Amino acid sequence: MAGEAREGGSAPEPERLDLYRYATAENAVEYLAVMRLFAETLLTDLSGAEIAEELARRGPALELDEVENRCRQLERWGNLVSRVGSDFTV
């Protein structure tokens, strides 16, 4: 259960739990779609435009500004790292 001690006696670190916020956040379907792209192309840098293009094919289709907003939020949660320009990576 959340907040209970794990094996070894220590509670989960709250910062680590942020890594999973996208799965239950508002727009979770969109966050999951973005994360799925990165999981399939492990260690790949993707631009916001590349993500938007791929999501247009697979769904859910998102505008470029929506993709960039989702990626920035995933970065704040610790799931992605931004690179030069608008590229993101896992």
Side-chain angles (χ1 to χ4, degrees), residues 70-82 88:
R70 301 297 179 264
C71 288
R72 280 193 285 280
Q73 182 60 54
L74 287 163
E75 181 180 16
R76 284 189 289 274
W77 286 332
N79 299 99
L80 297 180
V81 175
S82 62
F88 294 91

Side-chain angles (χ1 to χ4, degrees), residues 8 20 24 27-28 30 51 61 63 65 71 82 88:
Y20 304 102
T24 59
N27 303 311
E30 296 168 2
I51 295 167
E63 296 294 323
D65 62 326
C71 288
S82 62
F88 294 91

Side-chain angles (χ1 to χ4, degrees), residues 18-63:
D18 278 348
L19 293 173
Y20 304 102
R21 290 184 66 173
Y22 68 91
T24 59
E26 184 176 347
N27 303 311
V29 170
E30 296 168 2
Y31 288 117
L32 288 165
V34 171
M35 290 302 293
R36 190 173 297 117
L37 286 177
F38 283 99
E40 290 174 359
T41 58
L42 195 55
L43 301 177
T44 298
D45 292 346
L46 296 172
S47 69
E50 291 169 323
I51 295 167
E53 182 180 317
E54 190 60 31
L55 290 179
R57 280 193 279 264
R58 300 177 181 206
L62 298 174
E63 296 294 323

